[in-house]
Amino acid sequence: MQTSESTIGIVGAGIGGLVAAIALRRAGHDVVVFEQAKQFARVGADINLTPNAVRALDGLGVGDAARVTAARPSHRISRTYDSGEETSRLEMADSAEQRYGAPQLTIHRADLLAALADMFPAERVALGKRAETIAADDNGVTLSFSDGTSARVGALIGADGIHSGVRTAMFGAESPRFTGIVAYRAVVPAERVAGVPNLGAFTKWWGPNPQSQIVTFPLNRGKDIFIFATTPQDTWHLESWTAPGSVDELREQYVAYHPEARALLDACDTVLKTALYERDPMPAWAQGRMALLGDAAHPMLPFMAQGAGMAIEDAVVLSRHLDGVAMAGIPAALQAYQTARIERASQVQLGSRGNNWLREGGNADWVYAYDAWAVPLGVPAQGAAAAAAAV
């Protein structure tokens, strides 16, 4: 694949990488995406796109395609794990669209990736490209791949996840930390649990400790219900999209939960299981002609449901900082992007770790009202620190 020092390279064809690729191409740049997988496959979790993420996708022109298979949760509800008491209820759907300019959507990751891939030239995605070495100089970045090929680009964006090789090339090796938490994921047909209330809502059952919870939300326009449950466990360290778990073990972990929550688990035939890892917030994301976005910069626990949202925001704000910028101005533009994004993403990262957001009411505006297409360039997000301190 032809590249040059006038090309912006992106490592990683996940959600953040593809959003960045589309947005940077729309901003006039030549872009190539390097993806280590040999083909796109339908793997991964179902994800929650809150209004801040959906509005960013709408500005990119992807929102309509995402809505084809997505569900629109009616509310965001918090309930106590044993009594079932509601401690928080926010109207979403039309109310969120009126308040924030976009609704909440819940969708399979693969469906969103397909919608994004349709908007970026397939010939500019290089599959089977695992970067073994990444070397930057004053004029660009050289990547050497495990298949023996190499590429030279003028700037490089690391959108390659929690185990980011770009991050290692920039700041040295550092391993993610196992949190002592595992997560179970399952999908059940809505008709199988028709007697359970609030199936059309995003519902979070808050457990007896910050690591224990059950989250449910509709998928496939409400035809299915996604179940995401976390619990402390130190004997399973495998981080995987596809590793099978035990349905019996899943049910045993939540025997103290309310009957309505347990009814959803009783409906599960199969379940996937993964260990959860994290890193601490970084003091910097940009260095010379390289920068990070998404999980490469700020991998976070799923307790605020903002992993995909922060990656999408990063990508849009990055593209705005690089719009109309010649290659000589890339380092300064990347520093400005870092300034605009690092405080907000770090606060969400820490808030996700603390897992107390919207447990007992509160205002979601500081997260949901953020508009990646309109925030000032090179300026930290206003009010993020104060809002996060109150969660």
Side-chain angles (χ1 to χ4, degrees):
M1 178 175 293
Q2 184 176 359
T3 63
S4 71
E5 289 183 356
S6 63
T7 301
I8 296 179
I10 298 173
V11 179
I15 292 170
L18 286 179
V19 172
I22 296 165
L24 286 169
R25 186 168 181 266
R26 193 172 77 167
H29 290 283
D30 177 48
V31 182
V32 62
V33 180
F34 304 107
E35 167 57 42
Q36 66 180 1
K38 295 182 179 180
Q39 61 183 10
F40 289 116
R42 191 175 177 84
V43 298
D46 301 282
I47 58 175
N48 172 31
L49 298 174
T50 48
N52 49 307
V54 177
R55 188 168 52 253
L57 293 174
D58 285 344
L60 201 64
V62 184
D64 287 344
R67 284 166 171 80
V68 171
T69 60
R72 287 166 52 109
S74 61
H75 296 80
R76 189 197 188 282
I77 302 172
S78 291
R79 300 184 67 179
T80 303
Y81 77 101
D82 50 359
S83 69
E85 175 191 3
E86 279 195 19
T87 57
S88 173
R89 176 180 282 255
L90 297 180
E91 291 189 14
M92 300 303 292
D94 291 344
S95 294
E97 192 154 14
Q98 293 168 7
R99 184 176 183 89
Y100 303 117
Q104 178 185 21
L105 299 178
T106 48
I107 186 174
H108 194 285
R109 181 177 182 271
D111 291 334
L112 178 56
L113 284 173
L116 293 168
D118 284 345
M119 292 195 65
F120 188 75
E123 65 272 16
R124 300 302 286 169
V125 179
L127 298 172
K129 297 295 182 182
R130 180 187 294 273
E132 288 192 336
T133 62
I134 300 171
D137 55 49
D138 290 342
N139 298 311
V141 184
T142 301
L143 301 95
S144 298
F145 302 104
S146 58
D147 63 2
T149 63
S150 63
R152 176 76 173 171
V153 295
L156 186 68
I157 307 303
D160 48 342
I162 189 171
H163 301 286
S164 171
V166 180
R167 174 178 173 139
T168 298
M170 293 170 66
F171 300 111
E174 176 198 4
S175 297
R177 178 175 58 251
F178 175 51
T179 61
I181 305 170
V182 298
Y184 302 93
R185 305 193 312 276
V187 177
V188 300
E191 61 185 14
R192 192 181 296 176
V193 288
V196 177
N198 300 313
L199 292 180
F202 177 101
T203 301
K204 181 168 180 173
W205 296 84
W206 296 80
N209 59 67
Q211 294 78 39
S212 178
Q213 65 172 33
I214 299 174
V215 170
T216 67
F217 54 75
L219 285 176
N220 301 323
R221 293 183 169 268
K223 297 177 183 177
D224 296 312
I225 304 300
F226 179 62
I227 300 167
F228 181 83
T230 63
T231 190
Q233 189 177 109
D234 60 8
T235 57
W236 179 285
H237 292 183
L238 178 62
E239 182 185 18
S240 170
W241 290 111
T242 58
S246 164
V247 173
D248 289 338
E249 179 185 88
L250 168 68
R251 293 169 183 155
E252 290 169 3
Q253 294 293 332
Y254 302 94
V255 293
Y257 275 61
H258 191 273
E260 291 174 7
R262 296 203 313 272
L264 294 164
L265 305 187
D266 289 343
C268 296
D269 292 328
T270 60
V271 66
L272 301 178
K273 182 179 179 181
T274 186
L276 298 182
Y277 287 76
E278 67 170 348
R279 296 181 189 264
D280 293 325
M282 300 179 70
W285 300 354
Q287 184 182 85
R289 291 175 175 264
M290 297 194 292
L292 305 173
L293 65 76
D295 284 352
H298 46 71
M300 58 187 66
L301 292 174
F303 297 138
M304 286 178 67
Q306 288 299 313
M310 291 299 107
I312 292 167
E313 288 183 5
D314 288 347
V316 169
V317 174
L318 171 70
S319 74
R320 293 179 58 221
H321 280 85
L322 270 59
D323 192 352
V325 175
M327 280 296 162
I330 289 287
L334 294 179
Q335 288 292 326
Y337 150 73
Q338 171 185 281
T339 297
R341 288 295 302 160
I342 196 167
E343 180 179 331
R344 174 173 169 83
S346 296
Q347 294 294 349
V348 173
Q349 191 177 6
L350 292 173
S352 297
R353 178 186 293 175
N355 191 24
N356 198 42
W357 190 61
L358 297 180
R359 180 170 186 164
E360 297 180 357
N363 191 317
D365 289 1
W366 78 274
V367 176
Y368 293 171
Y370 182 94
D371 186 349
W373 293 104
V375 293
L377 301 182
V379 177
Q382 297 299 308
V391 300

